[in-house]
Amino acid sequence: MPELAEVEYNRKQWDPGIGESIVAVECHEKARDFRKMSASAFKSALPGKTLLSSRTHGKQMLFEISEVIWLGLHLGMTGKLFAADSNHEIAKAEHFVLRTPHRSLVFSDFRMFGNVTLDETNPGEFPVWWQQLPPEILSPSFTKKLVHSHLFRHRKSLVKPLLLNQARFPGIGNWMADEIVWQMKLHPATLCGDLSESQSEALWKASRSVTRDALRIIGTDYSQPPASWLFTHRWKDGGHCPRKGCGAELVRRDLRGRTTCWCPVCQSKHSASDTIQ
DNA sequence: CTATTTGTTTATCC
DNA sequence: AGGATAAACAAATA
């Protein structure tokens, strides 16, 4: 379930291996996750190097490895990272394992929508693709004005699909997008161009608060969010709106290819151009 | 057996 | 030209 908070949680699962040397790499040769490189090049690049640090940006992860190699990972739909014993046996869905003297760092992804990259740079430099990532939701440059310009540029788009656009809202995924519009009482199929000035500001604020709360609760130890979040009620039919004094039955419907859950009472349509088929 | 899935890229259309 | 959209990708689970 990797959106930015789940990605941050997964990144930390390899922390026990920071500072350790990589003595061997095992991988499944034809794993689709190696779409931008060959598995054999991947296998030979890392032994003898040391895992130095890690960071996330939205749903992207970047692991720094000695002599300036950068391991980029994306978890796709079902990717997971974990640390296991050094004698851990590589399973079918595990696309690679980094062996250190003390443990195995595992990348597992049964649906294979993930992605693996290696980049080499000069000391002190990040890979070009990393430098070009858009401003993170909680960064100072993710301003109210920036969100407003996104809404204007994509004025013909529906608001929920825009929230899933990684070039604009990096790290937001399906449940966070639903949570954001639910929090601001906005119908997910509202046309971006129909949002008022105050709704634009509310969208900026809600993006940031949902991001902050998700990182705090899920990103630290994968805790279950409280029952006051839409999150707790959105996964199957028959859930009820957790907002105080509401309790209406939630609607679950496909919106532009993604299952979307909203409260028909709190998030009622408010313009003729709101369409959901 | 079928329907569903927390993501992204690609092709196509406008 | 740039943006919106549906389809494709793959495999497990209900």
Side-chain angles (χ1 to χ4, degrees):
Chain A
M1 24 176 114
E3 302 183 23
L4 87 189
E6 293 91 346
V7 170
E8 168 64 5
Y9 175 82
N10 275 274
R11 175 191 69 79
K12 288 190 290 200
Q13 301 314 297
W14 281 8
D15 278 357
I18 301 278
E20 295 182 351
S21 64
I22 298 162
V23 294
V25 177
E26 284 168 54
C27 60
H28 286 299
E29 304 286 338
K30 66 182 203 21
R32 196 172 167 275
D33 298 62
F34 296 102
R35 65 197 80 198
K36 287 178 187 145
M37 60 183 313
S38 77
S40 55
F42 179 77
K43 233 156 52 176
S44 59
L46 301 181
K49 316 278 187 183
T50 303
L51 180 60
L52 297 177
S53 69
S54 64
R55 67 207 72 216
T56 65
H57 183 119
K59 297 174 190 170
Q60 306 284 345
M61 286 182 288
L62 191 65
F63 291 85
E64 181 189 13
I65 293 167
S66 62
E67 282 95 83
V68 215
I69 293 175
W70 301 96
L71 169 60
L73 295 181
H74 191 291
L75 297 173
M77 201 82 113
T78 54
K80 286 178 178 56
L81 301 188
F82 60 92
D85 290 347
S86 43
N87 58 5
H88 174 85
E89 227 168 280
I90 188 164
K92 183 176 165 219
E94 295 169 4
H95 298 316
F96 70 81
V97 176
L98 308 181
R99 309 284 192 187
T100 78
H102 304 294
R103 68 199 91 246
S104 302
L105 304 175
V106 185
F107 175 72
S108 141
D109 178 20
F110 70 79
R111 247 175 109 182
M112 298 200 288
F113 287 167
N115 196 16
V116 182
T117 59
L118 280 186
D119 288 278
E120 218 170 328
T121 66
N122 295 319
E125 285 176 8
F126 288 105
V128 174
W129 66 268
W130 184 266
Q131 295 177 45
Q132 290 171 344
L133 292 171
E136 287 189 286
I137 311 278
L138 295 181
S139 73
S141 42
F142 189 83
T143 58
K144 182 163 66 173
K145 214 174 135 189
L146 183 66
V147 168
H148 197 263
S149 74
H150 292 341
L151 288 169
F152 180 72
R153 174 185 290 239
H154 298 278
R155 53 197 179 281
K156 299 272 178 61
S157 169
L158 306 183
V159 66
K160 153 88 186 265
L162 177 67
L163 284 165
L164 296 178
N165 182 339
Q166 298 301 293
R168 310 292 177 217
F169 295 87
I172 302 293
N174 203 36
W175 77 255
M176 289 183 78
D178 284 357
E179 196 79 34
I180 289 165
V181 291
W182 175 78
Q183 192 175 101
M184 55 186 285
K185 301 186 178 180
L186 182 68
H187 194 286
T190 309
L191 210 51
C192 290
D194 287 347
L195 263 67
S196 68
E197 192 77 28
S198 69
Q199 285 176 314
S200 168
E201 177 168 359
L203 182 68
W204 171 69
K205 278 195 177 142
S207 313
R208 292 166 54 84
S209 77
V210 168
T211 296
R212 209 165 11 238
D213 290 345
L215 284 170
R216 180 170 48 82
I217 293 175
I218 297 170
T220 49
D221 59 1
Y222 229 96
S223 301
Q224 176 83 338
S228 57
W229 291 21
L230 179 65
F231 181 95
T232 323
H233 312 270
R234 69 178 304 279
W235 303 104
K236 38 184 205 281
D237 289 341
H240 293 267
C241 177
R243 201 184 309 273
K244 239 194 181 104
C246 182
E249 184 164 348
L250 296 166
V251 175
R252 295 176 80 239
R253 202 86 51 82
D254 182 280
L255 180 62
R256 299 295 183 264
R258 306 303 302 277
T259 298
T260 300
C261 177
W262 73 93
C263 173
V265 175
C266 299
Q267 298 165 269
S268 61
K269 298 185 187 187
H270 49 67
S271 125
S273 51
D274 295 345
T275 49
I276 180 164
Q277 66 292 354

